Amino acid sequence: MRINDYLHYLNTNCGLYDAVKKAEDEGHLLTKEAQRAASYLRFDFEKGGIHLSGEKLEKVNELNTEISQLCQEFGQNMAVDMGSVDVFPATRIPKHLHRLCKPIYRSTLGMSMGSSNSTSNMKEKGFQIITDPATLSSVLQCAADEEVRKMAYIEGNSVPHANLGVLDKLIAVRHELAQIIGCASYAEFALKQNMASSPAVVMSFLLEMSEMVRDKADKEFNAIRNFKRQKSGQCVDLEPWDESYYTAMMKSSMYDLDSSVVASYFPLPRCIEGLKILVQSLFGATFHSVPLSPGESWHSDILKMTLHHPDEGDLGYLYLDLYAREGKYPGCAHFAIKGARRISNTEYQLPVVALICNFSGSHNSSLARLNHFEVETLFHEFGHALHSLLSRTECQHFSGTRVALDLAETPSNLFEYYACDYRVLKTFARHYSTGETIPEKLVESMQGAKKMFAATELQRQIFYALIDQTLFGDRPAGQRDTSSVVTDLKSQYTSWRHVEGTHWQTRFSHLLNYGAGYYSYLYAKCFAATIWQKLCQDDPLSLTTGTALRKKFLQHGGAKDPSEMLNDLVGGGGIVRNYNGGIVPDTASLADEMGLVDYNMKLMEGKREKHV
């Protein structure tokens, strides 16, 4: 909050604002990047209301402070109220999930030994399941008892209840802020400098994506339902708490996959070695461990590495904080600690970044082994880190991931492809005890399982983005509560039913930092699919591929126009389209990857008709 207050002070500093305007007006900015920086800085100032009258500016300041407080409250509620369910007897919970649960006991009446007439209190063992997202995911995937899955699903999607009110306030305050600034909605306010440029463009893109994936997602839904009926021997409905359980079973049955076998090839030290091999192959650079200065590290688990190029010297510094511990930031994320920038003609400030994950184990343990989803997550965050480390902008304002929001997730999504390609995996994935290289057939099974329900997963992401756009879009009179919005969108754009009384959106933390911007993940998915197919797929580890990625994309950060960079990277068209004053991704590569042949045919016919 202190840092936020300081940034707010800078963004409302009239002296700085006047200096930026003067630099723009008097034409003293000699490079395109400097001109772009001034324009973006001025826009940021004006988003903070600096150009408004004193009374309105004071109100904007109050609203921005309230937004920060509401976002903090939303996150605190999630941390404090994770929900729990008590399950008896203990045998209803699979043994391998016991480590995630807390043993509990209850008194039961039983017959006393040696007497047929007396009773005594006996203790029955059960388990309490804390329904935090990670534990809930494991229970929904592994618990055979449907009632246990149902209880856990409903509880995990009904907390924290307090965030219903917090979210209502956040939506209302953001809407009021946008209207004072002169926008019709918070979505319009948030999207102005993005590629999409307007809510209308985003909604058009999301509806196109929804249409693209609907038929295949419906087929996948029917396949899961039929599989459940086959297993149960009854004509039963498919419930939301069934999806993870039956899709995992179907993947295992189809591809004979055992997650523990997969994880045995991904000990964490080998995965870190994989990241080193990747940068060596693509960019001719190497990671070297460097000692930490006294007081530099925030925990003994931290590793510090420098990225070094033989011709260019050190390129930047990376902290790795990969193991879970109590009180640590949850989940996985990339943090830019210091941005790259030119200080003078002879001096350049190197970027410093931290890559934070929460894998099981510790720095001193060789037991940490990742499942394949965690490997993908590690590579995803590493894509963000490379974006920062390879940045060579003149201005820190454009360093690394400081790009248009709907471009920011592209490098991270692209590097997920590297985590799935056998040519990459065979360079580092080794069995933790035998040293055997991961078998190609196992990787093919992993790839097949990943694709089995890809349409369902994509439809879910579209649904999340539609929720985000709707909640922060135009607010008609008599605005409905957020749960009604979620219920209606779920029935309209998915095959899955909404469970009455649940409110999943109170855990959707992306509404805080990605408000009206969640669609960016889908933009990135389309861009990454095109870049992979057109640039990387034929030879993913070649220096030629890496040089193109670095010189045409990663090193520019936000200093160049995103659509120009993307077109230059893939050698022309086929990655972005102009639409209604904004930029949308070309979806053809993603449709091709997912086997959406019918949709691609429609797309081509539409293009031909438009051309005619």
Side-chain angles (χ1 to χ4, degrees):
M1 290 299 289
R2 284 167 59 201
I3 291 174
N4 188 73
D5 287 345
Y6 180 65
L7 291 174
H8 184 63
Y9 158 74
L10 292 176
N11 286 332
T12 54
N13 186 307
C14 291
L16 291 175
Y17 176 58
D18 291 340
V20 168
K21 286 202 301 178
K22 183 178 180 183
E24 271 195 299
D25 295 342
E26 295 183 359
H28 295 314
L29 305 169
L30 302 179
T31 67
K32 285 186 177 180
E33 183 175 336
Q35 292 163 10
R36 185 176 175 85
S39 174
Y40 273 62
L41 283 166
R42 177 178 49 77
F43 184 84
D44 286 346
F45 278 122
E46 290 171 1
K47 278 185 80 172
I50 200 167
H51 59 300
L52 300 175
S53 65
E55 187 177 321
K56 285 186 176 180
L57 178 57
E58 187 176 338
K59 183 62 177 177
V60 166
N61 291 341
E62 288 176 11
L63 293 173
N64 276 318
T65 299
E66 188 174 357
I67 288 168
S68 297
Q69 291 168 343
L70 288 168
C71 288
Q72 190 175 47
E73 185 180 351
F74 191 100
Q76 286 174 339
N77 288 341
M78 285 176 61
V80 171
D81 184 8
M82 292 184 283
S84 66
V85 292
D86 296 345
V87 178
F88 290 95
T91 53
R92 296 175 73 187
I93 303 295
K95 283 188 177 180
H96 67 281
L97 293 182
H98 288 185
R99 62 184 177 82
L100 300 176
C101 307
K102 176 185 174 183
I104 53 174
Y105 299 89
R106 67 180 178 185
S107 297
T108 59
L109 291 176
M111 299 302 296
S112 178
M113 292 292 289
S115 170
S116 58
N117 298 322
S118 62
T119 61
S120 64
N121 282 330
M122 299 176 65
K123 294 288 186 182
E124 181 185 27
K125 183 180 179 181
F127 282 108
Q128 183 176 78
I129 301 170
I130 305 299
T131 53
D132 63 278
T135 304
L136 178 61
S137 176
S138 296
V139 170
L140 292 177
Q141 184 172 320
C142 302
D145 189 320
E146 181 171 351
E147 189 59 31
V148 170
R149 296 198 308 274
K150 178 180 178 180
M151 288 191 300
Y153 176 91
I154 291 175
E155 176 68 6
N157 286 277
S158 302
V159 291
H161 188 80
N163 274 355
L164 282 170
V166 175
L167 184 56
D168 284 342
K169 288 179 187 174
L170 178 64
I171 292 167
V173 173
R174 280 180 167 172
H175 184 74
E176 185 179 358
L177 169 68
Q179 294 214 306
I180 292 174
I181 298 295
C183 298
S185 66
Y186 183 75
E188 180 185 321
F189 172 78
L191 294 174
K192 277 193 171 181
Q193 278 198 310
N194 288 2
M195 284 189 282
S197 79
S198 75
V201 171
V202 173
M203 286 301 289
S204 175
F205 166 72
L206 293 176
L207 295 178
E208 177 190 338
M209 290 284 283
S210 179
E211 181 187 350
M212 178 179 96
V213 79
R214 187 66 191 246
D215 287 348
K216 191 164 187 181
D218 285 347
K219 288 176 183 175
E220 291 176 1
F221 178 88
N222 291 333
I224 303 166
R225 182 176 59 191
N226 292 340
F227 185 81
K228 179 185 179 182
R229 290 175 176 177
Q230 175 192 334
K231 287 292 178 184
S232 66
Q234 301 175 32
C235 187
V236 289
D237 288 331
L238 185 64
E239 302 291 354
W241 49 84
D242 292 329
E243 181 187 350
S244 294
Y245 180 71
Y246 286 108
T247 54
M249 196 183 295
M250 291 169 76
K251 288 177 180 181
S252 179
S253 173
M254 176 71 75
Y255 292 102
D256 192 25
L257 272 179
D258 183 328
S259 59
S260 65
V261 171
V262 173
S264 68
Y265 289 95
F266 294 110
L268 184 53
R270 289 301 310 169
C271 293
I272 295 172
E273 186 63 26
L275 302 180
K276 294 178 179 180
I277 291 169
L278 196 57
V279 296
Q280 172 74 60
S281 302
L282 284 172
F283 310 116
T286 51
F287 273 116
H288 301 287
S289 294
V290 292
L292 289 149
S293 303
E296 180 180 1
S297 170
W298 56 93
H299 193 272
S300 58
D301 279 352
I302 312 304
L303 296 175
K304 183 182 181 182
M305 299 195 296
T306 178
L307 182 61
H308 182 83
H309 192 279
D311 299 326
E312 303 170 47
D314 289 343
L315 301 178
Y317 298 93
L318 172 67
Y319 293 103
L320 292 177
D321 183 1
L322 302 180
Y323 299 96
R325 60 180 178 270
E326 190 174 348
K328 181 181 173 182
Y329 174 89
C332 298
H334 153 269
F335 291 95
I337 295 172
K338 184 185 287 187
R341 70 183 177 106
R342 180 160 300 287
I343 297 173
S344 68
N345 289 335
T346 58
E347 191 177 1
Y348 195 83
Q349 176 174 292
L350 296 181
V352 181
V353 302
L355 202 160
I356 309 298
C357 295
N358 276 275
F359 302 134
S360 300
S362 69
H363 177 49
N364 299 316
S365 167
S366 60
L367 300 178
R369 295 191 284 274
L370 308 188
N371 61 46
H372 190 244
F373 174 76
E374 289 174 323
V375 176
E376 286 183 287
T377 300
L378 179 63
F379 274 65
H380 176 103
E381 298 304 337
F382 189 64
H384 284 310
L386 284 177
H387 203 179
S388 292
L389 290 169
L390 296 174
S391 174
R392 283 302 175 269
T393 56
E394 297 291 305
C395 304
Q396 190 170 202
H397 196 70
F398 294 134
S399 176
T401 55
R402 289 182 162 190
V403 298
L405 185 62
D406 43 16
L407 181 70
E409 295 293 333
T410 300
S412 53
N413 272 260
L414 177 63
F415 276 88
E416 288 184 32
Y417 284 90
Y418 281 87
C420 299
D421 192 285
Y422 177 69
R423 293 165 294 180
V424 178
L425 295 179
K426 72 178 182 180
T427 66
F428 72 89
R430 304 279 189 275
H431 194 277
Y432 73 96
S433 64
T434 67
E436 175 201 14
T437 300
I438 192 167
E440 188 169 5
K441 284 189 177 179
L442 178 59
V443 175
E444 288 171 354
S445 294
M446 290 156 53
Q447 292 168 342
K450 181 178 171 66
K451 290 178 180 177
M452 268 188 83
F453 302 101
T456 299
E457 180 54 38
L458 181 58
Q459 187 180 68
R460 184 177 2 262
Q461 296 302 314
I462 295 165
F463 165 57
Y464 292 170
L466 284 165
I467 291 171
D468 178 43
Q469 282 299 306
T470 304
L471 293 181
F472 292 116
D474 293 334
R475 290 172 63 79
Q479 178 71 20
R480 295 173 302 158
D481 65 279
T482 58
S483 293
S484 296
V485 171
V486 171
T487 303
D488 289 351
L489 290 173
K490 192 168 190 178
S491 65
Q492 193 172 351
Y493 294 104
T494 81
S495 299
W496 299 86
R497 77 175 184 90
H498 176 75
V499 180
E500 192 66 34
T502 60
H503 40 81
W504 163 88
Q505 69 276 15
T506 57
R507 269 187 172 174
F508 190 21
S509 58
H510 284 84
L511 293 173
L512 311 182
N513 55 352
Y514 266 68
Y518 192 81
Y519 76 93
S520 299
Y521 285 98
L522 294 165
Y523 264 47
K525 199 168 182 64
C526 293
F527 292 146
T530 305
I531 295 167
W532 177 257
Q533 290 181 28
K534 295 196 173 192
L535 179 67
C536 306
Q537 190 168 1
D538 288 344
D539 196 357
L541 289 173
S542 78
L543 189 60
T544 303
T545 298
T547 300
L549 283 172
R550 183 183 177 192
K551 299 295 185 184
K552 295 183 177 183
F553 185 27
L554 298 174
Q555 75 175 22
H556 298 297
K560 291 182 71 174
D561 179 83
S563 58
E564 287 181 17
M565 276 195 293
L566 291 168
N567 276 321
D568 187 35
L569 181 61
V570 301
I575 189 164
V576 296
R577 293 179 284 133
N578 293 307
Y579 177 80
N580 199 22
I583 301 290
V584 296
D586 192 301
T587 57
S589 292
L590 182 61
D592 180 63
E593 175 190 308
M594 296 182 64
L596 304 175
V597 180
D598 293 342
Y599 178 79
N600 253 339
M601 291 293 290
K602 289 178 186 176
L603 196 63
M604 291 304 294
E605 287 170 8
K607 286 180 177 178
R608 279 197 294 270
E609 288 173 8
K610 188 174 180 181
H611 180 69
V612 171

